PDB file of all heavy atoms in Angstrom:
ATOM      1  N   GLY A   1     -10.577   3.364 -22.761  1.00 94.00           N
ATOM      2  CA  GLY A   1      -9.435   2.452 -22.749  1.00 94.00           C
ATOM      3  C   GLY A   1      -8.187   3.113 -22.205  1.00 94.00           C
ATOM      4  O   GLY A   1      -7.411   2.490 -21.459  1.00 94.00           O
ATOM      5  N   LEU A   2      -7.983   4.383 -22.551  1.00 95.00           N
ATOM      6  CA  LEU A   2      -6.829   5.121 -22.037  1.00 95.00           C
ATOM      7  C   LEU A   2      -6.972   5.359 -20.537  1.00 95.00           C
ATOM      8  O   LEU A   2      -6.004   5.214 -19.780  1.00 95.00           O
ATOM      9  CB  LEU A   2      -6.696   6.453 -22.784  1.00 95.00           C
ATOM     10  CG  LEU A   2      -5.576   7.392 -22.333  1.00 95.00           C
ATOM     11  CD1 LEU A   2      -4.230   6.695 -22.336  1.00 95.00           C
ATOM     12  CD2 LEU A   2      -5.540   8.628 -23.234  1.00 95.00           C
ATOM     13  N   PHE A   3      -8.163   5.691 -20.092  1.00 96.00           N
ATOM     14  CA  PHE A   3      -8.403   5.922 -18.664  1.00 96.00           C
ATOM     15  C   PHE A   3      -8.119   4.655 -17.862  1.00 96.00           C
ATOM     16  O   PHE A   3      -7.477   4.698 -16.809  1.00 96.00           O
ATOM     17  CB  PHE A   3      -9.844   6.369 -18.455  1.00 96.00           C
ATOM     18  CG  PHE A   3     -10.181   6.748 -17.036  1.00 96.00           C
ATOM     19  CD1 PHE A   3      -9.525   7.791 -16.413  1.00 96.00           C
ATOM     20  CD2 PHE A   3     -11.157   6.073 -16.336  1.00 96.00           C
ATOM     21  CE1 PHE A   3      -9.835   8.151 -15.100  1.00 96.00           C
ATOM     22  CE2 PHE A   3     -11.483   6.420 -15.033  1.00 96.00           C
ATOM     23  CZ  PHE A   3     -10.817   7.465 -14.411  1.00 96.00           C
ATOM     24  N   GLU A   4      -8.572   3.520 -18.367  1.00 95.00           N
ATOM     25  CA  GLU A   4      -8.313   2.247 -17.696  1.00 95.00           C
ATOM     26  C   GLU A   4      -6.820   1.973 -17.624  1.00 95.00           C
ATOM     27  O   GLU A   4      -6.313   1.485 -16.604  1.00 95.00           O
ATOM     28  CB  GLU A   4      -9.034   1.106 -18.414  1.00 95.00           C
ATOM     29  CG  GLU A   4     -10.542   1.130 -18.246  1.00 95.00           C
ATOM     30  CD  GLU A   4     -11.208  -0.075 -18.875  1.00 95.00           C
ATOM     31  OE1 GLU A   4     -10.521  -1.094 -19.079  1.00 95.00           O
ATOM     32  OE2 GLU A   4     -12.414  -0.007 -19.153  1.00 95.00           O
ATOM     33  N   ALA A   5      -6.103   2.277 -18.699  1.00 95.00           N
ATOM     34  CA  ALA A   5      -4.655   2.055 -18.710  1.00 95.00           C
ATOM     35  C   ALA A   5      -3.966   2.931 -17.672  1.00 95.00           C
ATOM     36  O   ALA A   5      -3.013   2.497 -17.006  1.00 95.00           O
ATOM     37  CB  ALA A   5      -4.101   2.339 -20.096  1.00 95.00           C
ATOM     38  N   VAL A   6      -4.442   4.162 -17.521  1.00 96.00           N
ATOM     39  CA  VAL A   6      -3.869   5.080 -16.533  1.00 96.00           C
ATOM     40  C   VAL A   6      -4.114   4.562 -15.115  1.00 96.00           C
ATOM     41  O   VAL A   6      -3.183   4.513 -14.296  1.00 96.00           O
ATOM     42  CB  VAL A   6      -4.461   6.493 -16.703  1.00 96.00           C
ATOM     43  CG1 VAL A   6      -4.061   7.382 -15.522  1.00 96.00           C
ATOM     44  CG2 VAL A   6      -3.992   7.110 -18.012  1.00 96.00           C
ATOM     45  N   ILE A   7      -5.341   4.173 -14.820  1.00 95.00           N
ATOM     46  CA  ILE A   7      -5.657   3.645 -13.488  1.00 95.00           C
ATOM     47  C   ILE A   7      -4.843   2.389 -13.212  1.00 95.00           C
ATOM     48  O   ILE A   7      -4.274   2.213 -12.118  1.00 95.00           O
ATOM     49  CB  ILE A   7      -7.169   3.327 -13.367  1.00 95.00           C
ATOM     50  CG1 ILE A   7      -8.000   4.610 -13.487  1.00 95.00           C
ATOM     51  CG2 ILE A   7      -7.458   2.622 -12.045  1.00 95.00           C
ATOM     52  CD1 ILE A   7      -7.844   5.560 -12.334  1.00 95.00           C
ATOM     53  N   ARG A   8      -4.778   1.504 -14.206  1.00 94.00           N
ATOM     54  CA  ARG A   8      -4.021   0.257 -14.046  1.00 94.00           C
ATOM     55  C   ARG A   8      -2.538   0.546 -13.786  1.00 94.00           C
ATOM     56  O   ARG A   8      -1.906  -0.113 -12.941  1.00 94.00           O
ATOM     57  CB  ARG A   8      -4.200  -0.597 -15.300  1.00 94.00           C
ATOM     58  CG  ARG A   8      -3.610  -2.000 -15.206  1.00 94.00           C
ATOM     59  CD  ARG A   8      -4.160  -2.891 -16.310  1.00 94.00           C
ATOM     60  NE  ARG A   8      -3.930  -2.321 -17.639  1.00 94.00           N
ATOM     61  CZ  ARG A   8      -4.898  -1.898 -18.433  1.00 94.00           C
ATOM     62  NH1 ARG A   8      -6.151  -1.955 -18.058  1.00 94.00           N
ATOM     63  NH2 ARG A   8      -4.618  -1.407 -19.637  1.00 94.00           N
ATOM     64  N   HIS A   9      -1.997   1.512 -14.499  1.00 95.00           N
ATOM     65  CA  HIS A   9      -0.585   1.877 -14.320  1.00 95.00           C
ATOM     66  C   HIS A   9      -0.305   2.299 -12.880  1.00 95.00           C
ATOM     67  O   HIS A   9       0.666   1.833 -12.256  1.00 95.00           O
ATOM     68  CB  HIS A   9      -0.238   3.019 -15.281  1.00 95.00           C
ATOM     69  CG  HIS A   9       1.075   3.684 -14.989  1.00 95.00           C
ATOM     70  ND1 HIS A   9       2.290   3.122 -15.329  1.00 95.00           N
ATOM     71  CD2 HIS A   9       1.374   4.875 -14.373  1.00 95.00           C
ATOM     72  CE1 HIS A   9       3.267   3.924 -14.944  1.00 95.00           C
ATOM     73  NE2 HIS A   9       2.744   4.990 -14.368  1.00 95.00           N
ATOM     74  N   TRP A  10      -1.148   3.162 -12.333  1.00 95.00           N
ATOM     75  CA  TRP A  10      -0.895   3.667 -10.989  1.00 95.00           C
ATOM     76  C   TRP A  10      -1.181   2.624  -9.916  1.00 95.00           C
ATOM     77  O   TRP A  10      -0.517   2.613  -8.871  1.00 95.00           O
ATOM     78  CB  TRP A  10      -1.696   4.940 -10.748  1.00 95.00           C
ATOM     79  CG  TRP A  10      -1.150   6.131 -11.472  1.00 95.00           C
ATOM     80  CD1 TRP A  10      -1.777   6.889 -12.419  1.00 95.00           C
ATOM     81  CD2 TRP A  10       0.152   6.704 -11.321  1.00 95.00           C
ATOM     82  NE1 TRP A  10      -0.964   7.890 -12.871  1.00 95.00           N
ATOM     83  CE2 TRP A  10       0.237   7.806 -12.209  1.00 95.00           C
ATOM     84  CE3 TRP A  10       1.258   6.392 -10.520  1.00 95.00           C
ATOM     85  CZ2 TRP A  10       1.383   8.585 -12.313  1.00 95.00           C
ATOM     86  CZ3 TRP A  10       2.402   7.180 -10.631  1.00 95.00           C
ATOM     87  CH2 TRP A  10       2.453   8.256 -11.518  1.00 95.00           C
ATOM     88  N   LEU A  11      -2.149   1.743 -10.158  1.00 94.00           N
ATOM     89  CA  LEU A  11      -2.408   0.680  -9.181  1.00 94.00           C
ATOM     90  C   LEU A  11      -1.186  -0.235  -9.044  1.00 94.00           C
ATOM     91  O   LEU A  11      -0.847  -0.687  -7.945  1.00 94.00           O
ATOM     92  CB  LEU A  11      -3.633  -0.144  -9.608  1.00 94.00           C
ATOM     93  CG  LEU A  11      -4.997   0.520  -9.375  1.00 94.00           C
ATOM     94  CD1 LEU A  11      -6.105  -0.315 -10.016  1.00 94.00           C
ATOM     95  CD2 LEU A  11      -5.269   0.706  -7.893  1.00 94.00           C
ATOM     96  N   VAL A  12      -0.535  -0.504 -10.170  1.00 94.00           N
ATOM     97  CA  VAL A  12       0.671  -1.334 -10.139  1.00 94.00           C
ATOM     98  C   VAL A  12       1.802  -0.624  -9.388  1.00 94.00           C
ATOM     99  O   VAL A  12       2.621  -1.259  -8.724  1.00 94.00           O
ATOM    100  CB  VAL A  12       1.118  -1.685 -11.574  1.00 94.00           C
ATOM    101  CG1 VAL A  12       2.497  -2.350 -11.575  1.00 94.00           C
ATOM    102  CG2 VAL A  12       0.102  -2.611 -12.240  1.00 94.00           C
ATOM    103  N   GLU A  13       1.827   0.713  -9.481  1.00 94.00           N
ATOM    104  CA  GLU A  13       2.890   1.489  -8.848  1.00 94.00           C
ATOM    105  C   GLU A  13       2.706   1.652  -7.340  1.00 94.00           C
ATOM    106  O   GLU A  13       3.647   2.063  -6.645  1.00 94.00           O
ATOM    107  CB  GLU A  13       2.971   2.878  -9.490  1.00 94.00           C
ATOM    108  CG  GLU A  13       3.460   2.879 -10.929  1.00 94.00           C
ATOM    109  CD  GLU A  13       4.889   2.410 -11.054  1.00 94.00           C
ATOM    110  OE1 GLU A  13       5.734   2.906 -10.289  1.00 94.00           O
ATOM    111  OE2 GLU A  13       5.161   1.547 -11.909  1.00 94.00           O
ATOM    112  N   LEU A  14       1.523   1.362  -6.820  1.00 92.00           N
ATOM    113  CA  LEU A  14       1.297   1.507  -5.377  1.00 92.00           C
ATOM    114  C   LEU A  14       2.269   0.630  -4.592  1.00 92.00           C
ATOM    115  O   LEU A  14       2.420  -0.559  -4.885  1.00 92.00           O
ATOM    116  CB  LEU A  14      -0.139   1.099  -5.016  1.00 92.00           C
ATOM    117  CG  LEU A  14      -1.235   2.154  -5.122  1.00 92.00           C
ATOM    118  CD1 LEU A  14      -2.583   1.520  -4.808  1.00 92.00           C
ATOM    119  CD2 LEU A  14      -0.973   3.332  -4.205  1.00 92.00           C
ATOM    120  N   PRO A  15       2.944   1.172  -3.584  1.00 90.00           N
ATOM    121  CA  PRO A  15       3.901   0.364  -2.823  1.00 90.00           C
ATOM    122  C   PRO A  15       3.193  -0.639  -1.912  1.00 90.00           C
ATOM    123  O   PRO A  15       2.164  -0.329  -1.315  1.00 90.00           O
ATOM    124  CB  PRO A  15       4.657   1.416  -1.997  1.00 90.00           C
ATOM    125  CG  PRO A  15       3.672   2.529  -1.826  1.00 90.00           C
ATOM    126  CD  PRO A  15       2.870   2.564  -3.107  1.00 90.00           C
ATOM    127  N   ALA A  16       3.756  -1.822  -1.841  1.00 88.00           N
ATOM    128  CA  ALA A  16       3.226  -2.831  -0.921  1.00 88.00           C
ATOM    129  C   ALA A  16       3.627  -2.450   0.500  1.00 88.00           C
ATOM    130  O   ALA A  16       4.733  -1.947   0.721  1.00 88.00           O
ATOM    131  CB  ALA A  16       3.774  -4.210  -1.266  1.00 88.00           C
ATOM    132  N   PRO A  17       2.751  -2.649   1.479  1.00 87.00           N
ATOM    133  CA  PRO A  17       3.093  -2.268   2.856  1.00 87.00           C
ATOM    134  C   PRO A  17       4.197  -3.151   3.421  1.00 87.00           C
ATOM    135  O   PRO A  17       4.280  -4.339   3.110  1.00 87.00           O
ATOM    136  CB  PRO A  17       1.775  -2.475   3.603  1.00 87.00           C
ATOM    137  CG  PRO A  17       1.030  -3.489   2.806  1.00 87.00           C
ATOM    138  CD  PRO A  17       1.391  -3.219   1.380  1.00 87.00           C
ATOM    139  N   SER A  18       5.042  -2.546   4.220  1.00 88.00           N
ATOM    140  CA  SER A  18       6.104  -3.277   4.906  1.00 88.00           C
ATOM    141  C   SER A  18       5.734  -3.348   6.378  1.00 88.00           C
ATOM    142  O   SER A  18       5.999  -2.428   7.155  1.00 88.00           O
ATOM    143  CB  SER A  18       7.450  -2.557   4.714  1.00 88.00           C
ATOM    144  OG  SER A  18       8.477  -3.213   5.431  1.00 88.00           O
ATOM    145  N   LEU A  19       5.088  -4.448   6.758  1.00 87.00           N
ATOM    146  CA  LEU A  19       4.585  -4.600   8.124  1.00 87.00           C
ATOM    147  C   LEU A  19       5.317  -5.743   8.819  1.00 87.00           C
ATOM    148  O   LEU A  19       5.558  -6.791   8.219  1.00 87.00           O
ATOM    149  CB  LEU A  19       3.080  -4.901   8.092  1.00 87.00           C
ATOM    150  CG  LEU A  19       2.212  -3.785   7.501  1.00 87.00           C
ATOM    151  CD1 LEU A  19       0.817  -4.294   7.214  1.00 87.00           C
ATOM    152  CD2 LEU A  19       2.166  -2.597   8.450  1.00 87.00           C
ATOM    153  N   PRO A  20       5.685  -5.554  10.096  1.00 79.00           N
ATOM    154  CA  PRO A  20       6.391  -6.615  10.823  1.00 79.00           C
ATOM    155  C   PRO A  20       5.512  -7.852  10.975  1.00 79.00           C
ATOM    156  O   PRO A  20       4.305  -7.767  11.142  1.00 79.00           O
ATOM    157  CB  PRO A  20       6.691  -5.976  12.187  1.00 79.00           C
ATOM    158  CG  PRO A  20       5.673  -4.895  12.325  1.00 79.00           C
ATOM    159  CD  PRO A  20       5.429  -4.380  10.943  1.00 79.00           C
ATOM    160  N   ASN A  21       6.126  -8.997  10.869  1.00 71.00           N
ATOM    161  CA  ASN A  21       5.372 -10.252  10.973  1.00 71.00           C
ATOM    162  C   ASN A  21       6.189 -11.252  11.802  1.00 71.00           C
ATOM    163  O   ASN A  21       7.348 -11.533  11.481  1.00 71.00           O
ATOM    164  CB  ASN A  21       5.131 -10.817   9.572  1.00 71.00           C
ATOM    165  CG  ASN A  21       4.205 -12.020   9.585  1.00 71.00           C
ATOM    166  OD1 ASN A  21       3.374 -12.153  10.463  1.00 71.00           O
ATOM    167  ND2 ASN A  21       4.385 -12.905   8.628  1.00 71.00           N
ATOM    168  N   PRO A  22       5.632 -11.800  12.873  1.00 66.00           N
ATOM    169  CA  PRO A  22       4.278 -11.531  13.364  1.00 66.00           C
ATOM    170  C   PRO A  22       4.229 -10.239  14.178  1.00 66.00           C
ATOM    171  O   PRO A  22       5.271  -9.710  14.571  1.00 66.00           O
ATOM    172  CB  PRO A  22       3.992 -12.724  14.263  1.00 66.00           C
ATOM    173  CG  PRO A  22       5.344 -13.110  14.786  1.00 66.00           C
ATOM    174  CD  PRO A  22       6.324 -12.827  13.674  1.00 66.00           C
ATOM    175  N   ALA A  23       3.019  -9.763  14.447  1.00 62.00           N
ATOM    176  CA  ALA A  23       2.850  -8.557  15.250  1.00 62.00           C
ATOM    177  C   ALA A  23       3.325  -8.829  16.671  1.00 62.00           C
ATOM    178  O   ALA A  23       3.097  -9.889  17.229  1.00 62.00           O
ATOM    179  CB  ALA A  23       1.383  -8.128  15.246  1.00 62.00           C
ATOM    180  N   GLY A  24       4.005  -7.879  17.249  1.00 69.00           N
ATOM    181  CA  GLY A  24       4.470  -8.047  18.622  1.00 69.00           C
ATOM    182  C   GLY A  24       4.924  -6.722  19.192  1.00 69.00           C
ATOM    183  O   GLY A  24       5.229  -5.789  18.451  1.00 69.00           O
ATOM    184  N   GLY A  25       4.989  -6.631  20.519  1.00 82.00           N
ATOM    185  CA  GLY A  25       5.440  -5.404  21.171  1.00 82.00           C
ATOM    186  C   GLY A  25       4.296  -4.628  21.775  1.00 82.00           C
ATOM    187  O   GLY A  25       3.147  -5.066  21.791  1.00 82.00           O
ATOM    188  N   ALA A  26       4.617  -3.436  22.264  1.00 90.00           N
ATOM    189  CA  ALA A  26       3.619  -2.586  22.893  1.00 90.00           C
ATOM    190  C   ALA A  26       2.592  -2.131  21.861  1.00 90.00           C
ATOM    191  O   ALA A  26       2.904  -1.954  20.682  1.00 90.00           O
ATOM    192  CB  ALA A  26       4.294  -1.377  23.530  1.00 90.00           C
ATOM    193  N   LEU A  27       1.354  -1.945  22.329  1.00 93.00           N
ATOM    194  CA  LEU A  27       0.271  -1.592  21.415  1.00 93.00           C
ATOM    195  C   LEU A  27       0.566  -0.284  20.679  1.00 93.00           C
ATOM    196  O   LEU A  27       0.349  -0.196  19.456  1.00 93.00           O
ATOM    197  CB  LEU A  27      -1.047  -1.474  22.195  1.00 93.00           C
ATOM    198  CG  LEU A  27      -2.274  -1.099  21.350  1.00 93.00           C
ATOM    199  CD1 LEU A  27      -2.524  -2.112  20.249  1.00 93.00           C
ATOM    200  CD2 LEU A  27      -3.508  -0.969  22.246  1.00 93.00           C
ATOM    201  N   ARG A  28       1.052   0.723  21.375  1.00 94.00           N
ATOM    202  CA  ARG A  28       1.320   2.002  20.728  1.00 94.00           C
ATOM    203  C   ARG A  28       2.346   1.844  19.608  1.00 94.00           C
ATOM    204  O   ARG A  28       2.195   2.392  18.511  1.00 94.00           O
ATOM    205  CB  ARG A  28       1.804   3.041  21.738  1.00 94.00           C
ATOM    206  CG  ARG A  28       2.033   4.421  21.098  1.00 94.00           C
ATOM    207  CD  ARG A  28       2.552   5.431  22.126  1.00 94.00           C
ATOM    208  NE  ARG A  28       1.601   5.685  23.186  1.00 94.00           N
ATOM    209  CZ  ARG A  28       0.557   6.501  23.076  1.00 94.00           C
ATOM    210  NH1 ARG A  28       0.324   7.133  21.929  1.00 94.00           N
ATOM    211  NH2 ARG A  28      -0.248   6.693  24.099  1.00 94.00           N
ATOM    212  N   ALA A  29       3.412   1.099  19.885  1.00 92.00           N
ATOM    213  CA  ALA A  29       4.454   0.899  18.878  1.00 92.00           C
ATOM    214  C   ALA A  29       3.906   0.157  17.660  1.00 92.00           C
ATOM    215  O   ALA A  29       4.239   0.485  16.515  1.00 92.00           O
ATOM    216  CB  ALA A  29       5.626   0.127  19.477  1.00 92.00           C
ATOM    217  N   GLN A  30       3.051  -0.837  17.902  1.00 93.00           N
ATOM    218  CA  GLN A  30       2.482  -1.597  16.793  1.00 93.00           C
ATOM    219  C   GLN A  30       1.545  -0.740  15.941  1.00 93.00           C
ATOM    220  O   GLN A  30       1.583  -0.788  14.710  1.00 93.00           O
ATOM    221  CB  GLN A  30       1.730  -2.811  17.335  1.00 93.00           C
ATOM    222  CG  GLN A  30       2.620  -3.838  18.005  1.00 93.00           C
ATOM    223  CD  GLN A  30       1.816  -5.013  18.511  1.00 93.00           C
ATOM    224  OE1 GLN A  30       1.469  -5.908  17.758  1.00 93.00           O
ATOM    225  NE2 GLN A  30       1.504  -5.006  19.799  1.00 93.00           N
ATOM    226  N   LEU A  31       0.715   0.047  16.609  1.00 95.00           N
ATOM    227  CA  LEU A  31      -0.197   0.922  15.868  1.00 95.00           C
ATOM    228  C   LEU A  31       0.575   1.985  15.086  1.00 95.00           C
ATOM    229  O   LEU A  31       0.211   2.323  13.957  1.00 95.00           O
ATOM    230  CB  LEU A  31      -1.182   1.590  16.831  1.00 95.00           C
ATOM    231  CG  LEU A  31      -2.197   0.663  17.510  1.00 95.00           C
ATOM    232  CD1 LEU A  31      -3.044   1.443  18.506  1.00 95.00           C
ATOM    233  CD2 LEU A  31      -3.094  -0.035  16.484  1.00 95.00           C
ATOM    234  N   ASN A  32       1.644   2.495  15.675  1.00 93.00           N
ATOM    235  CA  ASN A  32       2.451   3.486  14.974  1.00 93.00           C
ATOM    236  C   ASN A  32       3.132   2.886  13.748  1.00 93.00           C
ATOM    237  O   ASN A  32       3.305   3.563  12.732  1.00 93.00           O
ATOM    238  CB  ASN A  32       3.502   4.084  15.914  1.00 93.00           C
ATOM    239  CG  ASN A  32       2.959   5.247  16.722  1.00 93.00           C
ATOM    240  OD1 ASN A  32       2.087   5.974  16.269  1.00 93.00           O
ATOM    241  ND2 ASN A  32       3.469   5.414  17.930  1.00 93.00           N
ATOM    242  N   ALA A  33       3.509   1.606  13.837  1.00 92.00           N
ATOM    243  CA  ALA A  33       4.132   0.947  12.688  1.00 92.00           C
ATOM    244  C   ALA A  33       3.145   0.858  11.526  1.00 92.00           C
ATOM    245  O   ALA A  33       3.506   1.105  10.367  1.00 92.00           O
ATOM    246  CB  ALA A  33       4.612  -0.450  13.084  1.00 92.00           C
TER     247      ALA A  33
END
């Protein structure tokens, strides 16, 4: 139960990705983003 709480805690802390929407621009720039 403690292990599950630890995993759950860190999963919640994971940052959501900040991705441009919609995708656009040169392929290299988009892949680098």
Side-chain angles (χ1 to χ4, degrees):
L2 177 54
F3 185 61
E4 289 185 21
V6 170
I7 296 292
R8 187 164 56 247
H9 167 77
W10 286 119
L11 284 172
V12 171
E13 292 295 312
L14 274 176
S18 177
L19 297 167
N21 187 27
L27 180 59
R28 183 181 297 280
Q30 294 180 81
L31 293 176
N32 274 329

